[in-house]
């Protein structure tokens, strides 16, 4: 049962696609307490055993209790435990205990979720304006609530099958030769691969939809040559359009009035990678169609996949920010004297970095520009969380027009619920930390709850230097995530698999992915078709088993499997909890598979660095095939079944 409540005059986010009559008598809401006095506030008394699932791309646990979270799409590359906002805004939670209730707060600006942070049993959701839709969903179980929610927000985006191959990325591949080296090293080492990503360096001066002709001559031909090698090149597209005379996209955008504007009608200017940029007004349907149409510049050269970035939108600084920085320097000079500053900068409490951080992604800047939504000027901060969604929608809608019958790869950094219909997401700039393997795992089911099925993290870690063992363990989780991509930041240690000793271990782990692709893609397709979750917390299927509910380092995969990756360093295995009997399978480096039935309960399983563990649920089986070097080369005739005798599996494509 889904109920829709209306407060004030909400912005139409188009997150929900189903027409549901809205009730505006807020006194009618029988759940929790609502106040619209000072903004909006919803309070719900949690029972001791209630678990709070949801919030999509958010920090911390699968059970969100005991902390606070703020939906405010933010470009923050330090995903430490205290952070309350990441790149996405996914305002859907499920309270699961004696009863199962879902709440979706369809509100495109900053909204806070205090989930037992201020008072341990109190759930408080608040935002500064009482202009929103609240959807309340009652179900028989947490999963039932999720399925009902998924039904009203529309079917998830479907990625092409090749996008389930392995991809290599690095910020810093500067030329076609760099890319060729990556491909050659993977191919000669027989480590399967389907995609190489082009980060901002492929562009001319970081200008969207341009290619540096010196470093990537005859780009169309290069794309084709790569295709012949069964490699898809996946370029990045950034939100900011460089301000440069003669750059057609900039000039066209200005002429047509398709960039975000200040109150006085002039284009808003912000600095991002290209220097000064304008933001395309992707909330304006005409501008959205215009910006989306530009993807054809690259698809016409053979490109069939994209990743959209910096679309929170990220702002390094604006003119106002720089002025504030200058002013701060002047103040410090006044206070401490220039000589003292030059002679002994350490003695001066001048936290330049702190100020720099303040001028980045500054909330004041988000109040300085407007969107033209059907003729009405809407200040950006009121709809901030919709930018990445609509940038990706621009691309998604356009790609459908450009090639109606072709599935294209598309994923984004920033998102809001609704964007799941147009693309997937990756979880942004993580670090080469062991704790981030676990964070990756925990985010997956929450994202699935909101319709984001094609997802994954930067395997090996984006920031800081990875290690061989970290990468191997992370890949052994990535084997199961729809997006399996190794990506890292400029300046970090080289992280392609062939940079490390004993390449055969990487060949094996990634090879396992290819053995599983028919199963994984089928599970993904079924999840799209049935509004199901590809990954589920154990508590979704075993709600009565407290131990299962509290297990946050294992996930159910489809209806047949469970994963339990190793995420600590210097260990030769891990403890697992089985809520029911399962078959423990381990893909061994010699190509054979260890199979062992384990009884319900706790076990310690040994998993070497070069092994991939998986659990098959009681009475089930999954299809596996022989290793292939790319998705196209997968030979379905080699398919056999792994798991319980007598079980059957139906493949979906
Ligand atoms: C952002 C992205 C990252 C990319 C970098 C350079 O930090 O999140 O993936 O490598 O920008 O484009």
């Amino acid at each position: 049962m889904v109920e829709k409540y209306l407060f004030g005059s909400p912005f139409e986010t188009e997150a929900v696609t189903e027409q549901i009559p809205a009730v505006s008598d807020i006194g009618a809401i029988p759940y929790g307490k609502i106040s619209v006095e000072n903004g909006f506030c919803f309070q719900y008394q949690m029972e001791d055993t209630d678990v709070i699932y949801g919030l999509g791309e958010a920090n911390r646990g699968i059970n969100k209790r005991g902390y606070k979270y703020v939906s405010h799409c933010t470009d923050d590359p330090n995903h430490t435990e205290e952070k309350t906002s990441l790149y996405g805004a996914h305002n859907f939670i499920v309270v699961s205990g004696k009863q199962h209730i879902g709440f979706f707060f369809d509100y495109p600006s900053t909204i806070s979720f205090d989930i037992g942070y201020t008072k341990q049993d109190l759930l408080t959701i608040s935002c500064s304006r009482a202009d929103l839709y609240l959807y309340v969903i009652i179900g028989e179980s947490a999963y039932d609530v999720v399925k009902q929610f998924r039904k009203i927000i529309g079917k998830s985006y479907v990625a092409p099958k090749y996008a389930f191959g392995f991809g290599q990325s690095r910020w810093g591949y500067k030329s076609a030769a760099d890319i060729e080296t990556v491909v050659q090293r993977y191919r000669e080492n027989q480590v399967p691969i389907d995609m190489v990503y082009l980060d901002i360096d492929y562009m001319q001066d970081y200008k969207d939809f341009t290619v540096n002709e010196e470093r990537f001559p005859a780009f169309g031909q290069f794309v084709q040559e790569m295709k012949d090698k069964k490699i898809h090149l996946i370029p990045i597209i950034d939100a900011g359009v460089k301000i440069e005379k003669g750059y057609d996209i900039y000039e066209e955008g200005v002429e047509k009035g398709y960039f975000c504007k200040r109150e006085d009608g002039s284009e808003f200017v912000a600095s991002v990678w290209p220097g000064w940029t304008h933001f395309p007004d992707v909330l304006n349907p005409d501008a959205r169609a215009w910006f989306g149409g530009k993807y054809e510049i690259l698809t016409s050269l053979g490109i069939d996949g994209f990743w959209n970035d910096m679309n929170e939108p990220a702002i390094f600084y604006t003119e106002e920010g720089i002025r504030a920085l200058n002013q701060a320097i002047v103040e410090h000079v006044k206070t401490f004297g220039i000589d003292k500053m030059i002679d002994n900068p350490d003695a001066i409490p001048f936290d330049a970095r702190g100020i720099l951080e303040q001028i980045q992604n500054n909330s004041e800047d988000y109040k300085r520009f407007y969107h033209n939504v059907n003729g009405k000027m809407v200040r950006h901060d009121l709809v901030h969380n919709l930018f990445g969604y609509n940038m990706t929608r621009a691309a998604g809608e356009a790609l459908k027009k450009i090639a109606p019958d072709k599935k294209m790869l598309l994923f984004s950094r920033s998102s809001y619920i609704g964007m799941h219909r147009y693309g997937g997401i990756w979880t942004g700039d993580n670090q080469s930390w062991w704790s981030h393997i676990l964070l990756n795992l925990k985010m997956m089911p929450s994202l699935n709850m909101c319709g984001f099925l094609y997802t994954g993290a930067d395997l090996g870690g984006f920031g800081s230097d990875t290690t061989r063992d970290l990468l191997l363990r992370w890949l052994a989780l990535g084997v199961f995530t729809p997006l399996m991509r190794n990506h890292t930041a400029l300046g970090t240690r080289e992280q392609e698999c062939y940079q490390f000793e004993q390449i055969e271990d990487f060949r094996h782990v990634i090879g396992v992915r290819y053995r599983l692709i028919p199963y994984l893609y089928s599970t993904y397709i079924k999840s799209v078709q049935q509004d199901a979750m590809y990954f589920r917390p154990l508590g979704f299927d075993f709600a009565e088993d407290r131990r299962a509910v509290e297990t946050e380092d294992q996930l159910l995969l489809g209806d047949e499997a469970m994963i339990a990756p190793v995420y600590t360093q210097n260990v030769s295995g891990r403890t697992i909890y089985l809520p029911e009997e399962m078959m423990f399978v381990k893909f061994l480096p010699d190509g054979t598979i260890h199979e062992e039935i384990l009884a319900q309960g706790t076990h310690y399983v040994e998993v070497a660095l070069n092994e991939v563990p998986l659990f098959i649920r009681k009475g089930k089986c999954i299809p596996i095939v022989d290793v292939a070097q790319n998705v196209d080369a997968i030979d379905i005739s080699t398919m056999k079944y792994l798991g319980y005798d007598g079980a059957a599996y139906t493949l979906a494509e």
Side-chain angles (χ1 to χ4, degrees):
M1 185 191 64
V2 183
E3 293 165 4
K4 176 179 179 182
Y5 296 96
L6 164 74
F7 299 88
S9 30
F11 184 88
E12 299 297 332
T13 66
E14 298 175 68
V16 172
T17 46
E18 196 161 296
Q19 297 295 327
I20 303 168
V23 179
S24 42
D25 172 12
I26 57 164
I29 305 180
Y31 328 94
K33 247 178 40 203
I34 293 206
S35 128
V36 287
E37 300 294 290
N38 293 307
F40 172 84
C41 181
F42 170 78
Q43 292 196 311
Y44 181 93
Q45 194 65 38
M46 296 181 286
E47 304 254 351
D48 281 354
T49 51
D50 279 348
V51 173
I52 313 298
Y53 293 110
L55 292 185
E57 185 186 46
N59 215 345
R60 297 209 169 203
I62 290 177
N63 182 354
K64 290 279 176 280
R65 261 186 107 140
Y67 205 57
K68 56 186 172 173
Y69 306 85
V70 179
S71 285
H72 174 72
C73 297
T74 305
D75 168 27
D76 180 344
N78 268 308
H79 310 165
T80 42
E81 227 177 279
E82 82 285 8
K83 293 294 166 66
T84 53
S85 302
L86 295 173
Y87 311 89
H90 306 140
N91 306 334
F92 175 54
I93 55 169
V94 177
V95 179
S96 177
K98 285 194 197 110
Q99 42 179 357
H100 307 275
I101 313 182
F103 298 102
F104 173 48
F105 301 85
D106 190 10
Y107 181 76
S109 185
T110 304
I111 177 163
S112 307
F113 294 77
D114 177 333
I115 308 183
Y117 170 79
T118 304
K119 273 190 91 192
Q120 62 181 8
D121 289 332
L122 195 61
L123 172 64
T124 305
I125 289 113
S126 56
C127 51
S128 64
R129 296 163 72 107
D131 295 316
L132 70 152
Y133 292 112
L134 166 60
Y135 294 81
V136 182
I137 305 169
I138 310 290
E140 283 164 10
S141 63
Y143 200 14
D144 178 38
V145 171
V146 169
K147 286 194 168 178
Q148 292 186 56
F149 178 60
R150 292 274 302 282
K151 190 160 175 282
I152 66 164
I153 58 174
K155 290 270 177 271
S156 298
Y157 153 83
V158 182
K161 200 168 184 183
Y162 82 75
F164 272 63
F166 171 71
Q168 180 62 55
S169 186
R170 179 181 181 86
W171 174 13
Y173 295 148
K174 286 216 159 11
S175 62
D178 285 352
I179 305 294
E180 274 161 355
T181 305
V182 174
V183 174
Q184 191 197 332
R185 300 290 309 268
Y186 271 97
R187 288 280 181 248
E188 74 193 11
N189 282 299
Q190 288 175 0
V191 178
I193 185 167
D194 273 86
M195 288 162 286
V196 178
Y197 287 76
L198 302 178
D199 206 323
I200 46 173
D201 313 278
Y202 80 89
M203 298 183 209
Q204 177 68 48
D205 303 321
Y206 307 136
K207 285 183 286 191
D208 277 342
F209 311 110
T210 68
V211 176
N212 180 299
E213 284 174 16
E214 217 171 284
R215 292 182 280 107
F216 289 89
F219 187 67
Q221 201 181 314
F222 179 58
V223 173
Q224 194 49 52
E225 278 163 26
M226 286 292 131
K227 279 239 166 99
D228 296 344
K229 294 182 177 163
K230 299 290 177 192
I231 296 291
H232 298 258
L233 294 180
I234 314 294
I236 196 170
I237 304 292
D238 278 354
V241 171
K242 186 175 173 67
I243 300 176
E244 188 185 274
K245 234 178 144 359
Y247 170 35
D248 50 354
I249 297 180
Y250 156 74
E251 291 195 340
E252 246 178 72
V254 171
E255 190 198 303
K256 295 180 191 286
Y258 286 164
F259 291 125
C260 292
K261 299 228 164 88
R262 288 179 173 268
E263 203 174 3
D264 67 5
S266 64
E267 275 81 20
F268 175 72
V269 178
S271 172
V272 207
W273 299 126
W276 295 119
T277 66
H278 292 326
F279 293 138
D281 186 0
V282 286
L283 268 68
N284 167 353
D286 295 336
R288 188 160 67 230
W290 167 76
F291 190 76
K294 298 300 171 196
Y295 285 73
E296 194 167 8
I297 296 172
L298 291 164
T299 58
S300 68
L301 298 172
I303 292 295
D304 53 9
F306 297 90
W307 49 312
N308 282 346
D309 192 23
M310 307 303 278
N311 50 8
E312 291 69 30
I315 294 179
F316 293 166
Y317 50 82
T318 57
E319 206 182 303
E320 282 88 347
I322 292 293
R323 283 189 205 290
L325 183 66
N326 284 342
Q327 190 56 35
I329 295 172
V330 169
E331 293 301 323
H332 279 277
V333 170
K334 265 198 217 148
T335 314
F336 300 103
I338 189 79
D339 293 341
K340 206 168 163 197
M341 272 187 90
I342 291 169
D343 296 343
N344 187 8
D346 290 345
I348 294 155
F350 176 56
D351 180 7
R353 205 182 136 70
I355 292 178
L356 260 182
E357 270 168 12
Q358 280 171 37
I359 68 172
Q360 269 180 27
N361 308 317
N362 186 301
S363 54
E364 289 308 306
D365 283 332
Y366 292 130
K367 295 181 188 155
R368 293 193 169 107
F369 62 101
Y370 291 77
H371 298 275
N372 175 353
V373 184
N374 304 317
K376 198 172 152 230
M377 298 312 274
V378 180
R379 206 173 72 187
H380 175 79
D381 62 318
L382 304 178
V383 289
H384 173 72
N385 292 339
L386 301 180
F387 195 94
Y389 161 20
N390 281 285
M391 177 189 175
T392 302
R393 179 178 177 184
E397 287 173 341
L399 293 173
K400 271 263 155 339
K401 278 201 201 127
I402 295 166
D405 300 323
K406 197 169 168 181
K407 292 192 190 94
M408 301 262 195
L409 173 56
L410 179 62
F411 61 90
S412 172
R413 192 170 72 177
S414 186
S415 59
Y416 185 84
I417 292 173
M419 202 203 85
H420 68 286
R421 300 190 297 269
Y422 303 97
I425 66 157
W426 97 100
T427 58
D429 299 347
N430 59 11
Q431 297 275 339
S432 298
W433 296 341
W434 290 88
S435 60
H436 276 183
I437 301 185
L438 195 53
L439 185 61
N440 176 182
L441 179 96
K442 289 177 180 180
M443 266 185 209
M444 296 292 109
S446 315
L447 283 167
N448 283 190
M449 287 172 68
C450 303
F452 295 97
L453 299 177
Y454 188 81
T455 63
D458 288 350
L459 303 173
F462 176 75
S464 56
D465 292 336
T466 201
T467 56
R468 179 178 186 275
D469 54 353
L470 176 68
L471 179 57
L472 273 168
R473 291 296 195 197
W474 212 331
L475 286 169
L477 163 60
V479 159
F480 302 102
T481 59
L483 168 64
M484 185 191 192
R485 178 177 79 144
N486 174 341
H487 178 50
T488 189
L490 188 71
T492 60
R493 176 182 190 177
E494 292 181 306
Q495 182 171 301
E496 298 82 10
C497 298
Y498 52 78
Q499 306 288 356
F500 301 95
E501 309 135 78
Q502 285 157 296
I503 185 78
E504 61 273 20
D505 292 345
F506 293 90
R507 179 185 309 136
H508 170 61
V509 171
I510 295 174
V512 171
R513 162 67 164 219
Y514 282 73
R515 300 196 70 182
L516 290 167
I517 284 177
Y519 172 61
L520 299 177
Y521 196 67
S522 161
T523 304
Y524 169 72
I525 295 294
K526 286 180 185 174
S527 307
V528 174
Q529 288 170 348
Q530 300 164 11
D531 296 323
M533 288 165 70
Y534 176 99
F535 283 128
R536 289 185 309 287
L538 267 53
F540 270 46
D541 289 36
F542 301 95
E544 302 304 318
D545 177 348
R546 198 63 206 175
R547 181 82 198 275
V549 170
E550 291 175 9
T551 298
E552 297 214 347
D553 58 358
Q554 304 172 197
L555 295 177
L556 298 169
L557 165 57
D559 289 334
E560 300 77 18
M562 186 189 80
I563 61 165
V566 175
Y567 54 89
T568 39
Q569 193 163 23
N570 301 320
V571 297
S572 45
R574 57 161 289 180
T575 302
I576 50 135
Y577 174 68
L578 299 185
E580 62 178 3
E581 179 197 292
M582 290 191 197
M583 181 187 284
F584 172 45
V585 299
K586 230 177 5 175
F587 293 87
L588 304 175
D590 65 1
T592 62
I593 299 173
H594 166 90
E595 300 176 28
E596 182 185 357
I597 304 273
L598 296 178
Q600 187 275 341
T602 304
H603 300 267
Y604 180 84
V605 292
E606 287 192 353
V607 185
L609 264 182
N610 56 5
E611 295 173 346
V612 181
L614 178 66
F615 297 81
I616 313 276
R617 291 181 67 176
K618 193 173 174 192
K620 305 281 185 176
C621 71
I622 65 165
I624 52 166
V625 288
D626 286 355
V627 177
Q629 289 303 302
N630 59 77
V631 171
D632 263 4
I634 290 174
D635 180 359
I636 292 292
S637 73
T638 63
M639 191 176 287
K640 24 182 219 224
Y641 294 90
L642 183 62
Y644 285 82
D645 288 341
Y649 181 85
T650 316
L651 209 62
E653 289 250 14

